[in-house]
Amino acid sequence: MDKRSLLNPEQAAAILDWIRRRPRGGKRLHAFFATLYYCGPRPEEAVAMRVEDVTLPEPDATDQWCELLIHTATPEIGKQWTDTGEIHEQRDLKGRAEGETRTVPGHPALTRILRQHIADEQLQPGDLLFQGEFGGILAGSVIRRAWRSARKAVLPPHVFESPTGRRVCDNRNTRLTKWLNDGIPPAQVAEWAGNSVAVLLATYARCIDGQLPDLKRRLEAAGDLPEAEASGAG
């Protein structure tokens, strides 16, 4: 993965804020992109989520972390390639056994966003969490167009033309890298991401940085070889 594709917090915040203020469907799309950024699901997993897949804490709870249940993906593959004639096809999770699920914790900031989103849209438990303008699944073309417009609006021209955040899935790449850089064990990141540890490290190892000072302190704290005793006079 190209390290240049990762977003820094200021860039991500500016892009998400622009999307939120977008006159047409901005708040709905903001909730979708915020979910990608804070929890790192694949876009085709996020569009398949239902309201009942989100566990929100009570508003007055001390712990305001939410939890997402990821269990289905609906990739966009074209009408000619599906049995139903629909553009999307429902599938099990990538690289996972049939029926397998995973849960991912969501930052309190995402809890606030999703709570407001569900209330504003008057969504019921069985409804799609992220819907298109007229209901139904959120189209990939809408997602990509909104993301590109936001990047163009807030990033300097030379950054817009660079790989930085060019793809929607760079939200996921940014989150997984941040988890690793924050010291979350790779096995846990792999579980949240729906990857194997081997794939995770092969993809993101070159993007991990900022941990050398802490690693040096750990190694130094482990001690050195014991001092050799001076030999006595013969």
Side-chain angles (χ1 to χ4, degrees), residues 1 165 219:
M1 192 193 70
L219 292 170

Side-chain angles (χ1 to χ4, degrees), residues 133-152:
E133 187 174 3
F134 304 106
I137 197 165
L138 185 58
S141 58
V142 172
I143 294 168
R144 292 187 293 272
R145 186 164 56 247
W147 185 252
R148 186 180 189 280
S149 297
R151 286 184 71 250
K152 189 171 185 179

Side-chain angles (χ1 to χ4, degrees), residues 29 31 57 64 66-67 73 76 97-99 102 107 147 149 160 170 182-183 187 196 201-202 204 225-226 234:
L29 287 166
Q64 283 297 304
C66 63
E67 186 175 81
E76 199 172 62
E98 183 177 351
R102 72 180 192 273
H107 192 278
W147 185 252
S149 297
F160 172 73
D170 287 328
D182 286 346
S196 68
L201 294 179
Y204 298 100
L225 293 174

Side-chain angles (χ1 to χ4, degrees), residues 230-234:
S231 57

Side-chain angles (χ1 to χ4, degrees), residues 200-216:
L200 179 81
L201 294 179
T203 305
Y204 298 100
R206 292 183 180 180
C207 299
I208 301 174
D209 57 25
Q211 297 186 17
L212 184 58
D214 180 58
L215 294 175
K216 286 180 178 178

